[in-house]
């Protein structure tokens, strides 16, 4: 049964005639996504926020945007690199101000939100390349200097929701192979761990029509990011394809019962555990995909966001 407050939001959306993101061109979908998130999000005051540009991936003459959220006070505070959701097609740090500001306050950490490039203008693996470039920069002496004395970049965690959760966990795989940076924990909120249309997961059928994320929108995102095959070619888009999941940081995996991605995310959690990692899996019954941005209007989502903060705070203590 769907959470009563979430069901009320869905009724309002249906009454307003809100279209499925998969029925819109990318630019229009991005605008609608911002409106949807803004309607259920309430950014906190009392957080110092600034935007800056950093060098993009090696070999590319581009810069990337970061939004830095810092608690009031002297610090030093641990650092959380946050990757937003949106199927690699929609979303940006501005849309996630509420989530990141709340984590900043509750974790007492500097939260760095990454504005990675989006598809279809920048298809796979652009988001992964940007995510890795941002993480390396944050952990570098240059990043530590730019973030200032308030940020302790040696106490580092990664977190994200949906596509951003996949980016976050792929960062731990890349960091393991590179030998750096050291990541204290990964907090993953309903990641699409199988990559596009790969795999047979019952939740994709059970919740094909939503109530929030639909199979049509998943197909739309996969086509724009992965191309006509709609399938990730390797572990950077589908961490379940990784040759080894051993030696990864402690993991919090958060699921929604009413989510087409529920079963593949759960499979990823079990695979992490089978590989010998410390994994905590929490399923929020009655919630749907996207709940992490609904903390201002859905009580159960507020509890989930607090749980996310508690996990990060404990791991970074």
């Amino acid at each position: 049964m769907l959470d009563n407050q979430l069901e009320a939001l869905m009724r309002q959306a249906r009454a307003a005639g809100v279209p499925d993101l998969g029925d819109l061109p990318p630019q229009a979908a991005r605008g609608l996504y911002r409106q949807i998130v803004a309607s259920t999000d309430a950014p906190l005051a009392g957080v110092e926020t600034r935007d800056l540009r950093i060098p993009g991936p090696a070999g590319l003459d581009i810069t990337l945007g970061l939004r830095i959220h810092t608690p009031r006070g002297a610090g030093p505070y641990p650092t959380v690199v946050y990757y937003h959701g949106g199927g690699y097609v929609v979303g940006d740090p501005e849309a996630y101000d509420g989530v990141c500001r709340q984590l900043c306050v509750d974790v007492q950490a500097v939260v760095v939100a990454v504005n990675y490039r989006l598809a279809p203008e920048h298809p796979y693996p652009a988001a992964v390349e940007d995510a890795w470039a941002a993480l390396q920069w944050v952990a570098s002496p240059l990043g530590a200097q730019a973030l200032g004395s308030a940020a302790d970049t040696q106490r580092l965690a990664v977190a994200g929701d949906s596509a951003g959760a996949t980016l976050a966990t792929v960062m731990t795989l890349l960091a393991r192979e590179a030998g750096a940076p050291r990541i204290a924990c990964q907090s993953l909120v309903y990641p699409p761990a199988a990559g596009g249309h790969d795999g047979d997961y019952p939740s994709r059928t059970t919740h094909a029509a939503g109530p929030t994320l639909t199979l049509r929108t998943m197909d739309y995102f996969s086509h724009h990011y992965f191309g006509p095959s709609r399938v990730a070619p390797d572990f950077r888009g589908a961490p379940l394809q990784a040759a080894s999941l051993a030696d990864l940081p402690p993991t919090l995996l958060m699921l929604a019962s009413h989510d087409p991605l529920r079963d593949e995310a759960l499979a990823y959690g079990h695979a992490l555990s089978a590989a010998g990692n410390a994994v905590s899996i929490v399923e929020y019954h009655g919630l749907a995909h996207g709940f992490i941005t609904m903390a201002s209007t859905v009580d159960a989502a507020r509890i989930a966001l607090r749980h996310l903060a508690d996990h990060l705070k404990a791991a970074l203590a």
Side-chain angles (χ1 to χ4, degrees), residues 64-105:
L64 301 176
L66 301 180
R67 177 159 288 189
I68 316 299
H69 303 277
T70 305
R72 295 279 173 86
Y77 303 106
T79 305
V80 177
V81 178
Y82 192 91
Y83 300 101
H84 68 77
Y88 310 104
V89 176
V90 303
D92 54 41
E94 184 175 354
Y96 279 75
D97 256 10
V99 171
C100 291
R101 284 171 178 258
Q102 191 71 57
L103 291 176
C104 176
V105 170

Side-chain angles (χ1 to χ4, degrees), residues 49-154:
T49 297
R50 62 189 173 103
D51 296 324
L52 55 82
R53 308 291 302 182
I54 66 169
L60 296 182
D61 187 21
I62 63 170
T63 60
L64 301 176
L66 301 180
R67 177 159 288 189
I68 316 299
H69 303 277
T70 305
R72 295 279 173 86
Y77 303 106
T79 305
V80 177
V81 178
Y82 192 91
Y83 300 101
H84 68 77
Y88 310 104
V89 176
V90 303
D92 54 41
E94 184 175 354
Y96 279 75
D97 256 10
V99 171
C100 291
R101 284 171 178 258
Q102 191 71 57
L103 291 176
C104 176
V105 170
D106 290 347
V107 182
Q108 283 294 282
V110 175
V111 178
V112 180
V114 181
N115 197 12
Y116 55 87
R117 289 172 293 163
L118 300 176
E121 297 91 338
H122 305 285
Y124 178 86
V128 178
E129 293 171 344
D130 292 355
W132 180 236
L135 181 65
Q136 288 181 300
W137 182 88
V138 167
S140 72
L142 182 62
Q145 181 180 11
L147 292 175
S149 60
D152 179 358
T153 57
Q154 298 307 302

